[in-house]
Amino acid sequence: MQKHLINDNGTYKTYINGAWQTVATSSPTKDNFITKGIDDLSVLNRNAKTINQPMSDNGLLGSGKVFKSTLDLKKYFDITSIIIK
C-alpha cells in the first residue's frame, strides 16, 4: 500500500483524526513514510462547501445597513473565496 506525506513549506505533515501533525522538518525517512504516512488521501476531500455565517447588525451607512461577523481562519484554513449575499 502506498503512503503519502504532505510537504508544507519544508515541513512534512500527516493528517490524523481531523488535524495536521508534523512528521519531520527535513527530508522524511523511509520509516516516517511507513509509520506516519497517509494511507487514504480521500480524507483530504476538498469539495466546495457552503457555510452560513450568522451576522449582526452594526448600524447604518448612508441609506443602507452594515452587518458584521467574525470568521475563524484557523477553523476554515482552506478558504479560497468568500461570497456575501
Side-chain angles (χ1 to χ4, degrees):
M1 179 178 289
Q2 269 190 326
K3 297 269 191 165
H4 306 275
L5 294 177
I6 305 299
N7 182 339
D8 179 25
N9 293 322
T11 301
Y12 292 87
K13 298 181 178 183
T14 188
Y15 193 76
I16 298 173
N17 298 327
W20 288 103
Q21 296 178 7
T22 298
V23 173
T25 55
S26 61
S27 294
T29 65
K30 180 179 177 181
D31 187 54
N32 290 141
F33 279 97
I34 292 169
T35 60
K36 302 285 186 175
I38 302 170
D39 290 326
D40 181 10
L41 294 180
S42 70
V43 298
L44 303 177
N45 185 351
R46 296 183 183 261
N47 292 335
K49 187 186 299 184
T50 300
I51 299 168
N52 293 321
Q53 180 78 15
M55 300 186 83
S56 59
D57 189 341
N58 199 32
L60 299 173
L61 179 63
S63 61
K65 285 188 144 190
V66 177
F67 293 90
K68 71 176 183 177
S69 184
T70 302
L71 187 60
D72 182 0
L73 294 177
K74 290 181 181 177
K75 182 177 178 183
Y76 304 107
F77 67 94
D78 199 29
I79 293 175
T80 57
S81 68
I82 297 174
I83 299 171
I84 300 171
K85 295 181 181 183

